[in-house]
């Protein structure tokens, strides 16, 4: 009977799903075709203790430990009844009566989200949340939501409610790389769950709803507010009296957080992301995911990859990196001090010219572990800083033109695309070097048209810009007009080709070993020639001209060489500088997370100060 109602509810929900578009029907068909795979992939995991994931800097010193060695799962019978009550009342009051999902809640979510075709509102049961944690990626797509329903239904057929609740409470994320209610008790209070008071339990129970917002270490007041709401829930359901609730709310909470080495969070956060990319490349999953257009198949491949990564992490590994700890620390202190404007943010990446390793990376002001990392997670429009990659180097490479060759700087349109120069300036015939150092948009567009969009992108594509998409193959790309933009990591990576004409993708990871020292993963030594010696020399010359007498005046280096290109986007929403010194290649972006004009701080040249500080 339960199975019959399950299928009936899935079928009944289809008309609602169809409201979001005809493509959903295709995905439902695919999901049913993958039914056998779903059943095969749902299994209880082997319970293992987490072993250390240790990060070493370039000097062989530990700078970050990523493990939680106290994360032993607990039996549901060993958990206080209060723990079960708090999570069921706050997350899924109908947990013991539904079949894995709640159609009425899903209906409300779809109606709320259909208007903008995005997944915003939830409607997830405890079973669905467990499915997301264990089996699916975190992408907010309707395809993934459909898979979530099928997985939740299958999970409820295979396991009892008690087993599902036990898995859920052992696998919930409690911020700060802590998983499971038992681990949370040990991490935040340094004592077992059974020894906690009601108020202490309610505080950590508040965290999983939004682990960043309710992180008690960084946002205690937020966590305390939600704790009090959870205590009110207990009162509403007559589990405790109003007087008891008042007493528990006023109990003083003292955290006793477990300590572990956590230095240079901006760098370590990036390293852990690069580890996922490295494993994806070396196991072949990166290629498989890139080659399929089937969204459901992508989900399954990403799920399989996620399992592989989790297995690697749980077995314990040593990650040896290129981090220069003194430089990373100095760069962060310098950039934080420069960013005095309220809410102004920045990202920066520094690559060593000889090793092509990432020696310093800046994810944002006063960066905390696993915050938004702007250096690789937040692409922004690059403006004219993109011209060396999109226009000038490809032009010199395909024509062997001299930097003193002439190009028109007057008004120019290609179709309906009619860019203006900075300050609406109109130029006549100018040299390529002059057009470059003064960032004349109309000249760049003319050159881009001469080489052609396809030829330009044959060069651009070789630099592995993840956020550049097919619809960016337009004339606007000449001036850095892209759908999503690029990151400072990607820009520094591309500019490093102007060191010697060769592109070698920059990495932070040197090698990954198991705890016995056996090599598990390392990046292959890739090195491909992009630019001829003539192009490199010409580009380095005109990049230097930008600093000497162009838009880059104010940039400096004591290394013996400096060349750079600046970028400013429409309405002054982004400021960029990317370039090279004798030792380093770097890219810097400044702006607001919610883009707005920075015209009032244009003359301060804050991005110049950052570039000078991190390349010194």
């Amino acid at each position: 009977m339960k199975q019959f109602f399950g299928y009936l509810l899935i079928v009944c929900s289809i008309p609602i799903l169809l409201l979001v578009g005809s493509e959903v029907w295709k995905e439902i068909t695919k999901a049913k075709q993958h039914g056998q795979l779903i059943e095969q992939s749902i299994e209880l995991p082997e319970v293992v203790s987490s072993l250390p994931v240790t990060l070493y800097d370039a000097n062989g010193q530990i700078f970050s430990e990523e493990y939680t060695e106290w994360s032993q799962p607990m039996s549901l019978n060993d958990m206080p009844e209060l723990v079960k009550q708090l999570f069921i009342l706050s997350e899924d009051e109908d947990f013991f009566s539904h079949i894995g999902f709640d159609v009425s809640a899903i209906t409300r979510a779809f109606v709320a989200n259909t208007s903008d075709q995005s997944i915003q509102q939830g409607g997830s049961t405890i079973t669905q949340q467990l499915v997301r944690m264990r089996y699916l990626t975190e992408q907010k797509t309707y395809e993934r939501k459909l898979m979530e329903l099928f997985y939740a239904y299958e999970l409820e057929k295979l396991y009892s409610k008690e087993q599902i609740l036990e898995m859920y409470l052992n696998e919930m994320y409690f911020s700060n790389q802590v998983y499971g209610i038992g681990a949370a008790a040990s991490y935040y209070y340094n004592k077992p769950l059974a020894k906690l008071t009601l108020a202490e339990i309610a505080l950590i129970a508040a965290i999983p709803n939004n682990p960043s917002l309710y992180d008690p270490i960084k946002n205690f007041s937020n966590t305390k507010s939600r704790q009090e709401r959870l205590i009110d829930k207990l009162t509403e359901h007559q589990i405790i009296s109003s007087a008891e609730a008042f007493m528990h709310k006023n109990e003083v909470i003292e955290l006793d957080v477990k300590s572990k080495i956590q230095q240079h969070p901006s760098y370590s956060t990036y390293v852990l992301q690069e580890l996922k990319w490295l494993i994806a490349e070396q196991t072949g999953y990166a290629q498989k995911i890139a080659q399929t257009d089937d969204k459901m198949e992508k989900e399954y491949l990403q799920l399989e990859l996620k399992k592989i990564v989790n297995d690697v992490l749980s077995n314990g590994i040593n990650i040896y990196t290129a981090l220069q700890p003194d430089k990373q620390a100095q760069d962060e202190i310098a950039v934080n001090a420069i960013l005095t404007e309220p809410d102004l943010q920045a990202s920066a990446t520094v690559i060593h010219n000889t090793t092509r390793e990432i020696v310093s990376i800046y994810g944002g002001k006063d960066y905390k572990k696993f915050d938004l990392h702007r250096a690789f997670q937040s692409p922004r429009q690059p403006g004219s800083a993109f011209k060396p990659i999109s226009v000038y180097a490809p032009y010199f490479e395909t024509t062997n033109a001299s930097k003193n060759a002439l190009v028109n700087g007057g008004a120019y349109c290609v179709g309906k695309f009619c860019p203006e120069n900075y300050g609406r300036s109109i130029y006549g015939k100018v040299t390529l070097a002059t057009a470059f150092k003064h960032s004349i948009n109309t000249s760049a567009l003319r050159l881009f048209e001469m080489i052609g969009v396809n030829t330009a992108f044959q060069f651009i594509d070789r630099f592995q810009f993840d956020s550049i998409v097919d619809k960016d193959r337009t004339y606007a790309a000449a001036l850095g007009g892209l759908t999503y933009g690029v990151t400072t990591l990607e820009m520094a990576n591309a500019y490093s080709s102007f060191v010697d004409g060769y592109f070698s993708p920059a990495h932070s990871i040197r090698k990954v070993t198991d705890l016995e020292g056996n090599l598990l993963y390392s990046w292959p030594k890739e090195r491909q020639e992009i630019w001829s010696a003539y192009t490199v020399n010409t580009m380095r010359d005109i990049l230097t001209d930008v600093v000497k007498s162009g838009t880059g005046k104010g940039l400096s280096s004591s290394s013996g060489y400096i060349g750079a290109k600046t970028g400013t986007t429409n309405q002054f929403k982004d400021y960029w500088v990317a370039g090279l010194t004798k030792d380093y290649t770097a890219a810097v972006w400044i702006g607001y997370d919610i883009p707005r004009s920075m015209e009032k701080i244009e003359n301060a040249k804050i991005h110049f100060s950052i570039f000078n500080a991190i390349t010194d």
Side-chain angles (χ1 to χ4, degrees):
M1 182 65 68
K2 181 178 180 180
Q3 182 173 349
F4 169 76
F5 279 112
Y7 283 120
L8 179 63
L9 287 171
I10 291 175
V11 170
C12 290
S13 68
I14 288 175
I16 300 168
L17 300 177
L18 288 175
L19 291 174
V20 303
S22 61
E23 289 299 311
V24 174
W25 176 256
K26 298 177 184 177
E27 302 305 335
I28 293 173
T29 303
K30 291 176 185 175
K32 290 180 178 179
Q33 291 171 350
H34 288 306
Q36 187 175 0
L37 288 174
I38 293 175
E39 291 181 12
Q40 290 174 350
S41 65
I42 294 181
E43 57 183 17
L44 280 171
E46 179 183 357
V47 177
V48 295
S49 300
S50 296
L51 294 173
V53 176
T54 309
L55 278 60
Y56 295 83
D57 63 28
N59 303 317
Q61 301 299 308
I62 296 174
F63 72 91
S64 186
E65 296 172 308
E66 302 304 325
Y67 66 100
T68 51
E69 59 186 356
W70 47 87
S71 59
Q72 285 282 3
M74 297 180 64
S75 163
L76 189 67
N77 292 331
D78 293 334
M79 298 180 192
E81 188 66 25
L82 175 67
V83 170
K84 308 167 199 175
Q85 293 170 331
L86 280 170
F87 279 95
I88 290 173
L89 293 177
S90 63
E91 297 293 331
D92 187 1
E93 289 190 19
D94 297 322
F95 173 69
F96 284 103
S97 60
H98 64 61
I99 57 162
F101 56 86
D102 183 339
V103 173
S104 62
I106 294 170
T107 302
R108 290 193 300 271
F110 270 108
V111 170
N113 297 324
T114 299
S115 60
D116 62 1
Q117 295 291 299
S118 64
I119 296 287
Q120 301 292 337
Q121 184 168 311
S124 297
T125 63
I126 281 177
T127 312
Q128 286 174 262
Q129 292 178 49
L130 177 61
V131 163
R132 283 203 300 273
M133 290 187 286
R134 178 176 290 183
Y135 303 112
L136 301 180
T137 66
E138 289 300 318
Q139 290 182 311
K140 293 186 178 181
T141 64
Y142 284 106
E143 292 80 21
R144 196 227 60 188
K145 196 68 178 177
L146 284 170
M147 290 182 69
E148 182 183 301
L149 298 182
F150 285 104
Y151 264 96
Y153 182 66
E154 291 295 330
L155 197 69
E156 291 264 352
K157 289 197 300 181
L158 291 173
Y159 302 111
S160 69
K161 289 288 187 180
E162 289 73 19
Q163 285 176 302
I164 290 171
L165 184 59
E166 180 178 303
M167 289 186 277
Y168 174 79
L169 293 172
N170 278 318
E171 297 180 30
M172 283 296 293
Y173 182 50
F174 286 81
S175 194
N176 296 295
Q177 292 301 97
V178 177
Y179 292 85
I181 186 71
S186 295
Y187 181 78
Y188 290 108
Y189 300 116
N190 203 13
K191 54 187 177 182
L193 183 61
K195 297 288 186 180
L196 301 190
T197 66
L198 183 149
E200 290 172 330
I201 291 175
L203 187 85
I204 56 174
I207 300 170
N209 182 266
N210 188 326
S212 295
L213 181 64
Y214 299 125
D215 176 355
I217 297 175
K218 292 193 292 186
N219 301 308
F220 186 85
S221 61
N222 292 343
T223 319
K224 187 69 175 69
S225 295
R226 180 164 172 79
Q227 176 230 33
E228 294 182 2
R229 293 196 295 274
L230 292 180
I231 292 174
D232 287 337
K233 275 278 186 183
L234 297 177
T235 306
E236 290 170 17
H237 288 79
Q238 300 180 337
I239 295 171
I240 61 174
S241 67
S242 297
E244 289 172 320
F246 179 81
M247 177 187 68
H248 293 308
K249 288 180 184 180
N250 285 280
E251 179 181 323
V252 177
I253 302 290
E254 294 184 0
L255 300 179
D256 183 10
V257 179
K258 286 268 188 176
S259 62
K260 54 184 176 179
I261 299 174
Q262 287 284 293
Q263 299 172 342
H264 312 300
S266 191
Y267 199 92
S268 62
T269 298
Y270 172 71
V271 169
L272 293 176
Q273 177 58 58
E274 188 181 299
L275 174 67
K276 297 174 185 177
W277 293 334
L278 174 57
I279 294 174
E281 285 291 335
Q282 304 234 322
T283 57
Y285 276 90
Q287 184 177 11
K288 291 177 184 177
I289 292 169
Q291 287 177 343
T292 182
D293 292 325
D294 186 327
K295 293 179 181 179
M296 298 291 278
E297 185 177 359
K298 276 187 187 291
E299 285 281 351
Y300 280 107
L301 290 171
Q302 288 166 343
L303 167 61
E304 290 176 358
L305 175 60
K306 180 180 178 181
K307 289 181 178 178
I308 292 172
V309 172
N310 288 341
D311 286 344
V312 170
L313 292 172
S314 65
N315 286 331
I317 53 175
N318 296 321
I319 306 176
Y320 296 87
T321 77
L323 171 67
Q324 293 182 2
D326 291 342
K327 177 168 178 51
Q328 177 74 33
Q330 291 166 5
D331 288 354
E332 290 187 9
I333 291 171
V335 180
N336 285 339
I338 291 168
L339 293 174
T340 57
E341 187 74 17
D343 298 325
L344 185 66
Q345 274 293 355
S347 72
T349 303
V350 183
I351 297 170
H352 195 282
N353 289 343
T354 302
T355 63
R356 302 298 170 89
E357 294 176 321
I358 300 167
V359 295
S360 171
I361 194 165
Y362 185 86
K365 185 173 183 180
D366 299 323
Y367 186 83
K368 300 295 189 300
K369 195 69 172 279
F370 300 117
D371 283 351
L372 172 68
H373 200 299
R374 295 162 187 83
F376 74 91
Q377 291 179 323
S378 183
R380 298 292 288 254
Q381 300 295 327
S384 294
F386 201 56
K387 290 176 183 175
I389 304 300
S390 62
V391 179
Y392 283 89
Y395 184 79
F396 290 126
E397 187 69 19
T398 55
T399 66
N400 284 323
S402 164
K403 69 174 185 177
N404 296 316
L406 297 178
V407 61
N408 196 321
Y412 194 65
C413 296
V414 176
K416 295 183 179 180
F417 182 55
C418 303
E420 294 181 339
N421 296 319
Y422 181 78
R424 298 187 176 180
S425 299
I426 302 295
Y427 298 86
K429 293 277 188 177
V430 295
T431 65
L432 297 182
T434 298
F436 185 78
K437 73 180 181 180
H438 292 306
S439 206
I440 302 175
N441 289 332
T442 52
S443 296
L445 179 59
R446 284 180 168 90
L447 299 176
F448 191 79
E449 185 182 29
M450 289 179 200
I451 59 176
V453 173
N454 290 336
T455 298
F457 271 89
Q458 286 175 8
F459 290 101
I460 294 170
D461 290 342
R462 298 174 77 177
F463 294 112
Q464 304 174 5
F465 288 100
D466 287 338
S467 298
I468 290 181
V469 295
D470 286 341
K471 59 183 178 181
D472 287 327
R473 296 173 183 271
T474 67
Y475 287 100
L479 313 181
L482 305 169
T483 304
Y484 303 109
V486 294
T487 64
T488 56
L489 172 63
E490 292 171 328
M491 286 290 277
N493 219 0
Y495 267 66
S496 70
S497 66
F498 297 133
V499 172
D500 57 9
Y502 287 84
F503 176 62
S504 180
H507 301 299
S508 64
I509 296 175
R510 291 179 172 176
K511 65 177 180 179
V512 179
T513 72
D514 62 21
L515 299 184
E516 284 71 47
N518 300 306
L519 181 65
L520 297 178
Y521 304 102
S522 64
W523 288 107
K525 300 295 183 183
E526 297 179 62
R527 194 169 185 264
Q528 57 173 317
E529 185 175 8
I530 307 292
W531 316 118
S532 66
Y534 174 78
T535 298
V536 170
N537 291 332
T538 305
M539 287 304 302
R540 289 175 70 91
D541 283 348
I542 63 175
L543 286 166
T544 297
D545 290 342
V546 170
V547 176
K548 288 180 177 178
S549 56
T551 59
K553 285 188 293 184
L555 295 170
S556 63
S557 173
S558 59
S559 70
Y561 172 79
I562 183 171
K565 185 72 185 76
T566 61
T568 303
T569 60
N570 291 342
Q571 287 86 49
F572 305 91
K573 292 179 179 178
D574 306 274
Y575 289 143
W576 283 80
V577 59
L580 307 86
T581 64
K582 180 182 177 182
D583 299 316
Y584 302 118
T585 300
V588 174
W589 163 87
I590 67 168
Y592 296 98
D593 286 335
I594 300 175
R596 66 177 191 261
S597 175
M598 296 183 289
E599 186 174 9
K600 69 176 184 178
I601 60 171
E602 180 184 20
N603 292 333
K605 296 187 176 181
I606 294 170
H607 49 318
F608 284 28
S609 298
I610 295 173
F611 186 90
N612 291 342
I614 65 177
T615 56
D616 187 23

